[in-house]
Amino acid sequence: MFGKSGFGVSANYTKVTSGLKYDNASREAQFALLGLGDSANLVGFYESDKWQVRLAYNWRDKFLTGLFDGSGLANPVYTQAYGQVDMTVGYKYDDRLSFQAEAINLNDGVQRLHGRTQEQLIAVTQTGPRYMLGARYKF
């Protein structure tokens, strides 16, 4: 018989394919599906009467973001592969009072947009880690 440890793991991987791919060698207007990319998530968690802890790694592979880069010509925009680590912790003091803490993007993941090649940098977004603390009281 298995005991109740409170620990768990959840994982998934999504593979996406399509015949509608963007041809970087062509300068003609094209039809391609935007946003198609593989993704994966790995989550570890612990739950008890008092504690809830969750640590997650979320990853997404490179994908086509747009068909125009703002230059007036049909140039693709790609989002480069990226990953992010998030963590949440909750503590239930009693039936009325609880505390929460959340940290998003602990690994300081960076989102990078580029054109036909990775050297054609369009934009970089680095939000840095973000933190939240909270308390809840039920009247």
Side-chain angles (χ1 to χ4, degrees), residues 16-32:
V16 180
T17 59
S18 170
L20 297 173
K21 299 195 185 290
Y22 194 90
D23 179 6
N24 280 330
S26 173
R27 300 287 292 162
E28 302 296 320
Q30 301 179 47
F31 177 76

Side-chain angles (χ1 to χ4, degrees), residues 46 48-53 88-101 134-136:
Y46 171 76
S48 70
D49 290 339
K50 294 280 186 188
W51 291 96
Q52 293 180 343
V53 181
T88 58
V89 176
Y91 178 72
K92 182 179 175 184
Y93 181 77
D94 59 26
D95 287 339
R96 292 183 166 213
L97 180 61
S98 63
F99 301 95
Q100 302 81 35
R136 176 179 289 165

Side-chain angles (χ1 to χ4, degrees), residues 22 29-30 34 64-77 122:
Y22 194 90
Q30 301 179 47
L34 303 179
L64 182 63
T65 307
L67 301 175
F68 298 94
D69 64 359
S71 67
L73 301 173
N75 289 312
V77 177
I122 294 173

Side-chain angles (χ1 to χ4, degrees), residues 10-17 36-43 57-62 81:
S10 173
N12 71 60
Y13 178 81
T14 303
K15 177 81 174 161
V16 180
T17 59
L36 292 182
D38 301 344
S39 63
N41 308 89
L42 178 63
V43 179
Y57 178 71
N58 304 296
W59 171 84
R60 185 154 184 203
D61 202 3
K62 172 183 170 180

